[in-house]
Amino acid sequence: MSSLSKVKNQMAKWNKNLVNFHSCILIFITVVLSGCATPFASGYGANRQSREEFARYVEDVFRLQNSMTSEVMILTETENDPQNHVTLIRAEQHMHKICAPLNEYAVRNSEGLNIGLLLSHYVEKSAVDCEQAARQVESLLKEF
């Protein structure tokens, strides 16, 4: 076999691998995009609400967690010993972690910035957990 034939065979293998790679990438992108769009087809959020209902729910959750943050700040600023509120502070930190997508969404929305599909998806997936975390902080606040 001549060296020209070997080069042609090698290039044919590379081209075949490249085509396979591009096909895999195309399939991956299709799966990812369809996976992101699927939850919106039958409603929003864990309860599959309409877009308007879900928007109101998310706004209510955002207000609740902001209110809890304010109350924790007021309570901890008036206390001389923050060690009295370790559990409360940890619960608030957990709430902030869980509610991060919602807070980012709110900031981007208020600043008129683009809110991508991925961030919207994270908000949809985390809204119920954010509410539960805020309710946990609320119940701890009632103890003081």
Side-chain angles (χ1 to χ4, degrees), residues 49-144:
Q49 299 164 308
S50 72
R51 183 179 180 140
E52 295 79 22
E53 291 170 330
F54 186 70
R56 280 192 298 274
Y57 171 71
V58 168
E59 187 175 333
D60 290 344
V61 171
F62 179 74
R63 286 184 181 152
L64 173 65
Q65 65 103 18
N66 274 332
S67 174
M68 295 303 99
T69 297
S70 296
E71 288 187 38
V72 169
M73 283 176 33
I74 291 168
L75 181 66
T76 56
E77 285 178 359
T78 59
E79 280 287 323
N80 293 333
D81 187 9
Q83 291 301 317
N84 294 337
H85 307 294
V86 172
T87 304
L88 177 63
I89 292 169
R90 285 188 183 141
E92 183 202 18
Q93 290 170 343
H94 175 72
M95 177 186 71
H96 283 290
K97 181 179 177 183
I98 298 296
C99 298
L102 177 58
N103 289 319
E104 182 179 348
Y105 183 97
V107 167
R108 295 185 70 77
N109 187 42
S110 70
E111 293 177 357
L113 298 173
N114 182 32
I115 299 167
L117 183 61
L118 194 56
L119 179 56
S120 297
H121 182 70
Y122 289 150
V123 170
E124 180 185 10
K125 293 296 182 191
S126 67
V128 171
D129 292 337
C130 178
E131 179 187 17
Q132 290 173 348
R135 296 281 179 211
Q136 177 65 31
V137 172
E138 183 179 44
S139 70
L140 290 171
L141 279 166
K142 289 179 182 177
E143 295 176 10
F144 294 100

